Amino acid sequence: MHIVVGVKWVPNTQAVRFDPHTGTLIREGVPSIVNPHDLHAVELALKLRERYGGRVTAVTMAPPGAVKGLEHIIGMGVDDAVLLSDRKYAGADTLATSYVIASAIKRMGDVDLIVFGQETIDSSTAHVPAQVASWLEAPYIYYVEEVEAIEDNRIRVRRRLEDLVEWYELEMPAVIAVLMHSQKPRPVRLIHKLRAVLEKPVETWSNEILRLDERCVGLKGSPTVVTKITWMPEVPRKQKIFKGEPKEAVNWLIRRLEEEKILPTCGADKCGEGD
Ligand SMILES: Cc1cc2nc3c(=O)[nH]c(=O)nc-3n(C[C@H](O)[C@H](O)[C@H](O)COP(=O)(O)OP(=O)(O)OC[C@H]3O[C@@H](n4cnc5c(N)ncnc54)[C@H](O)[C@@H]3O)c2cc1C
């Protein structure tokens, strides 16, 4: 079985700042990471390889620096990786992104299952997996919590919604998006990481290899235009901060809770006694 797992190389949003004048992201100097939700997709793909055999290929469309992210994924145990990278792919919206990814999967030829994360932490549209499925004319299920069985070229998946669990059976090749936090991503192992560094299993496919119509990729192939981004004004919080020793802080908190009638009065001085 050949499983492809899609991972995105994203700016670490905790380090991202906004330009207050233009309202756009300041990406310069911001470190990138593998989209954390995609590690759950990688984990599920690796578990399926362990259960059913075959191989796992990671794929990303990104600038050349994303090789580092793919090496991290190989460090988790993925067999090989493909970086789809070309200046012509820059500025892509989700339609153009999914077109390039789907075209690469078609080029691979022998893919049985495509596994994605639920969404990214930077753009968070959750469009890409559905759009890839559409380009490939393949069945698609999202919020997949577990794959229960694969047999006779069919896959049985469990999908979790807030208060509901559903079971689906899909014909392969199929596309699934994995529910965030549903897996326990394994750590990078030195033996795999060494392979990533020594054997260099990451291939780069530019548009010279994929030969896609330039009108369908990058900015030219992107019908969606982000016209404006604004930053929500911070809502002032009713917040009191106490600085001091832990015991004083606890007494202070108890007095506040008593004043607000959240706790019955018990005599704050006594509450602080003992260990
Ligand atoms: C007009 C326009 C211009 C844009 N220009 C840029 C730009 O210059 N630079 C930029 O970074 N973004 C740009 N974007 C954002 C870009 O559309 C998204 O980053 C990208 O298409 C993926 O969408 P998403 O992050 O919402 O992924 P989602 O749909 O939320 O991702 C779901 C899952 O799909 C997979 N996935 C998503 N993206 C990739 C990928 N690239 N490779 C492999 N797997 C993937 C992952 O498994 C992920 O968990 C632009 C958007 C628009 C509308």
Side-chain angles (χ1 to χ4, degrees):
M1 185 165 67
H2 186 188
I3 304 172
V4 167
V5 61
V7 295
K8 189 180 177 195
W9 186 234
V10 296
N12 185 348
T13 45
Q14 286 179 342
V16 157
R17 289 166 298 129
F18 274 82
D19 182 326
H21 304 294
T22 60
T24 55
L25 289 177
I26 304 171
R27 290 175 188 267
E28 289 78 40
V30 176
S32 290
I33 55 172
V34 175
N35 178 43
H37 304 317
D38 298 350
L39 300 179
H40 295 254
V42 173
E43 178 59 34
L44 184 59
L46 290 172
K47 270 182 6 195
L48 293 176
R49 184 190 62 188
E50 282 156 12
R51 257 190 260 157
Y52 300 101
R55 69 184 212 277
V56 178
T57 302
V59 67
T60 190
M61 187 189 96
V67 166
K68 259 173 80 182
L70 291 175
E71 286 174 354
H72 178 93
I73 299 300
I74 288 172
M76 287 174 74
V78 161
D79 299 278
D80 39 49
V82 180
L83 171 65
L84 310 169
S85 198
D86 195 299
R87 293 184 79 84
K88 296 186 179 91
Y89 302 160
D93 68 0
T94 58
L95 192 70
T97 301
S98 59
Y99 178 61
V100 174
I101 296 171
S103 304
I105 291 168
K106 276 186 191 163
R107 185 172 190 272
M108 291 173 198
D110 59 350
V111 178
D112 302 291
L113 180 65
I114 301 121
V115 185
F116 287 109
Q118 181 179 314
E119 62 184 47
T120 59
I121 57 166
D122 60 340
S123 298
S124 328
T125 64
H127 287 177
V128 169
Q131 290 175 341
V132 168
S134 175
W135 289 115
L136 296 175
E137 296 182 39
Y140 167 61
I141 295 288
Y142 68 116
Y143 293 161
V144 170
E145 182 180 51
E146 197 50 84
V147 171
E148 300 206 325
I150 295 180
E151 56 199 1
D152 301 330
N153 215 35
R154 298 183 76 79
I155 177 171
R156 213 167 53 239
V157 301
R158 192 169 76 226
R159 171 183 199 257
R160 179 173 290 273
L161 303 172
E162 256 175 34
D163 51 358
L164 183 77
V165 179
E166 295 173 335
W167 283 264
Y168 283 86
E169 205 174 287
L170 293 85
E171 196 171 314
M172 297 203 295
V175 180
I176 57 173
V178 177
L179 183 68
M180 62 169 82
H181 311 307
S182 63
Q183 309 293 312
K184 199 168 163 219
R186 63 195 67 190
V188 165
R189 284 186 61 199
L190 186 61
I191 188 158
H192 299 312
K193 192 73 196 231
L194 278 176
R195 191 173 78 82
V197 176
L198 299 176
E199 292 178 23
K200 304 226 171 298
V202 178
E203 276 185 40
T204 300
W205 292 0
S206 68
N207 207 42
E208 278 187 21
I209 293 178
L210 285 177
R211 298 197 167 281
L212 303 176
D213 185 332
E214 290 181 22
R215 289 168 302 181
C216 304
V217 299
L219 203 54
K220 283 189 200 162
S222 297
T224 324
V225 180
V226 179
T227 52
K228 193 177 174 187
I229 300 177
T230 60
W231 194 228
M232 294 293 284
E234 215 169 294
V235 181
R237 281 196 227 147
K238 231 176 119 188
Q239 193 176 59
K240 291 175 189 159
I241 296 176
F242 181 87
K243 287 184 185 151
E245 292 300 311
K247 194 171 163 183
E248 291 168 44
V250 170
N251 282 335
W252 175 86
L253 177 63
I254 289 168
R255 276 197 296 275
R256 292 287 86 72
L257 294 174
E258 284 173 349
E259 279 165 22
E260 303 270 341
K261 307 238 180 300
I262 296 168
L263 273 185
T265 310
C266 68
D269 294 342
K270 282 192 197 128
C271 291
E273 285 169 8
D275 290 323

